[in-house]
Amino acid sequence: MTLTLRPISRAEHLAFVASLPSASHMQLPSWGDVKPDWQAESLGWFDAAGRPVGVGLVLLRPLPKVKRYLAYLPEGPVIDWHAPGLERWLEPMLAYLKRRGAFSVKMGPPVVVRRWSPEAVKAAIADPGAHRLRDADATSYEPRAGELAERLRRLGWRQAEPGGEEGFAVGQPRYVCQVPFAGRSLEDVHRGLNQQWRRNIKKAGKAGVTVVRGGYQDLPVFHGLYAETAERDRFIARPLSYFQRMWTALTAEDPDRMRLYLAQHEGDVLAAATMLIVGGHVWYSYGASTSRKREVQPNNAMQWRMMTDAHELGAHVYDFRGITDTLEESNHLLGLLRFKVGAGGEAVEYLGEWDFPLNRLLHKAFDVYMARR
């Protein structure tokens, strides 16, 4: 089957995504509006009858002083990754992006490689011989993922080296934590929480913690907590304008695409978080909290309210996003892994991000530039 590729409108892009169970929020037209330093374009794949069969949001980042671009499809494109003849999808995309001036293409196939149940992660953390998740036996494997990786290599794609801190890549995280909701009642989900989580939720309720939905006007309150969290946890905070732009762009596309939750105690906001919704997939996106009154457990109360709302929406998965793959007790990110897995979350490994250098010299120069930033 021959496939053709061409730029498509936002309406065409959204209509195709709406026909699917879900897609990454980073593959929606609105995500391009969140990233003003990139040029965004929607691409569509069509079969011989002219029917849409795939879409992709491409972000184009200019190389300094040169009119050439890095083309990036975060957590995409949205295509049938296991269909025979993968080159029928990727070759037209590479040819089009080369004509657009791209010197390199980066993409993140949304394909799961393996999963570890909460019990498997807990056992791995307790095992002195397991230093990373990959050292522990997975609960389930997706055999087609390995075949796909081999096909990509044969087509000339290179798996991007993980960067960042202990498994957190420069692009999108390869390891995430997800709570499965499909086919489970809310009572089932609650039973999946570990004892500490259930105890903390009950404690927050007794202490008088309330969780409310916020709006655009509450983003400065969220950001104040987020800046405090960034200083405490040693990461670089995004500016308030980023979250305001995200809210405006995502809710313009769908009024319920992005939500803000605030955990309060006696009039004091102690924790806040953003939640993103695309079809049956719900993400906990950004979280923030103060060091004050931690004993009333606002984070557990807030997450349980978000999980409850996601379940009510009919979500098939609640996604806690990135986790570290390190199991070392000395690593400060291990506590975050324990927190997310304690909510009944599975550790999930994706195929990771892949690069195709269209101009090897410029691709290497860009790598050097990024390494020096």
Side-chain angles (χ1 to χ4, degrees), residues 1 44 56 59 80 110 172 202 216 218 225 235 253 271 310 339 349 364:
M1 181 178 67
L59 302 175
D80 184 352
Q172 303 311 314
K202 190 177 290 185
Y216 180 90
D218 299 300
L225 295 173
F235 64 85
E253 185 176 82
F339 178 79
E349 180 189 6
K364 188 167 185 178

Side-chain angles (χ1 to χ4, degrees), residues 26 31-33 35 38-41 57-61 69-74:
M26 296 182 188
W31 195 249
D33 301 328
K35 303 289 182 179
W38 300 70
Q39 295 179 29
E41 189 168 348
L57 178 73
V58 183
L59 302 175
L60 297 163
R61 184 71 178 260
Y69 303 90
L70 167 68
Y72 183 31
L73 294 95

Side-chain angles (χ1 to χ4, degrees), residues 16 25 27 57 59 76 79 103 133 157 164 240 243 253-254 257 259 314 320 365:
F16 183 81
H25 58 280
Q27 280 298 298
L57 178 73
L59 302 175
I79 61 175
F103 64 86
L133 267 175
W157 290 82
L240 172 61
F243 297 99
E253 185 176 82
D254 181 331
R257 181 78 77 215
R259 292 185 178 188
F320 273 102

Side-chain angles (χ1 to χ4, degrees), residues 31-326:
W31 195 249
D33 301 328
V34 179
K35 303 289 182 179
D37 294 336
W38 300 70
Q39 295 179 29
E41 189 168 348
S42 291
L43 300 179
W45 283 260
F46 297 83
D47 64 16
R51 292 183 294 255
V53 291
V55 296
L57 178 73
V58 183
L59 302 175
L60 297 163
R61 184 71 178 260
L63 193 65
K65 301 180 182 179
V66 184
K67 279 197 170 183
R68 301 296 293 277
Y69 303 90
L70 167 68
Y72 183 31
L73 294 95
E75 299 184 359
V78 185
I79 61 175
D80 184 352
W81 283 98
H82 297 299
L86 187 61
E87 63 277 4
R88 294 178 302 114
W89 301 82
L90 300 183
E91 286 178 0
M93 180 182 78
L94 291 174
Y96 175 80
L97 293 173
K98 188 173 185 178
R99 291 195 301 271
R100 282 285 277 116
F103 64 86
S104 185
V105 180
K106 181 185 287 289
M107 65 178 183
V111 174
V112 171
V113 177
R114 48 188 170 171
R115 299 174 185 271
W116 293 262
S117 69
E119 295 76 21
V121 177
K122 185 179 178 181
I125 293 173
D127 181 358
H131 302 287
R132 292 187 177 275
L133 267 175
R134 66 187 77 136
D135 299 331
D137 289 335
T139 308
S140 65
Y141 293 84
E142 173 48 72
R144 295 185 301 173
E147 297 166 11
L148 175 58
E150 188 53 42
R151 288 161 72 189
L152 288 170
R153 290 188 188 97
R154 287 200 301 267
L155 292 173
W157 290 82
R158 305 172 179 176
Q159 192 160 25
E161 290 296 322
E165 182 178 12
E166 300 294 342
F168 282 97
V170 172
Q172 303 311 314
R174 183 167 180 174
Y175 294 89
V176 302
C177 184
Q178 298 175 345
V179 182
F181 279 6
R184 302 173 72 200
S185 68
L186 189 60
E187 290 71 27
D188 293 334
V189 176
H190 189 267
R191 279 193 292 271
L193 303 173
N194 69 16
Q195 192 176 29
Q196 184 71 48
W197 261 81
R198 291 196 296 269
R199 188 162 50 238
N200 287 350
I201 291 169
K202 190 177 290 185
K203 188 174 182 179
K206 286 184 177 178
V209 173
T210 58
V211 181
V212 299
R213 291 266 306 271
Y216 180 90
Q217 71 281 359
D218 299 300
L219 288 173
V221 175
F222 159 80
H223 192 265
L225 295 173
Y226 169 73
E228 180 182 336
T229 304
E231 185 175 353
R232 184 178 65 240
D233 293 347
R234 305 192 296 277
F235 64 85
I236 299 172
R238 293 186 181 276
L240 172 61
S241 58
Y242 178 85
F243 297 99
Q244 292 172 326
R245 187 166 59 247
M246 184 190 294
W247 184 279
T248 301
L250 270 59
T251 58
E253 185 176 82
D254 181 331
D256 205 25
R257 181 78 77 215
M258 179 175 177
R259 292 185 178 188
L260 176 65
Y261 289 83
L262 307 167
Q264 303 172 334
H265 181 257
E266 296 176 346
D268 193 9
V269 179
L270 303 179
T274 58
M275 189 169 95
L276 304 180
I277 304 159
V278 184
H281 203 125
V282 172
W283 292 264
Y284 157 52
S285 179
Y286 285 90
S289 63
T290 180
S291 297
R292 302 187 312 275
K293 300 185 184 179
R294 288 194 144 184
E295 69 279 2
V296 300
Q297 310 300 336
N299 286 298
N300 295 90
M302 179 175 65
Q303 287 292 344
W304 180 242
R305 165 68 190 276
M306 292 165 70
M307 291 170 71
T308 300
D309 285 4
H311 191 276
E312 189 177 313
L313 287 167
H316 57 72
V317 63
Y318 183 80
D319 197 324
F320 273 102
R321 292 290 288 164
I323 54 172
T324 176
D325 69 334
T326 184

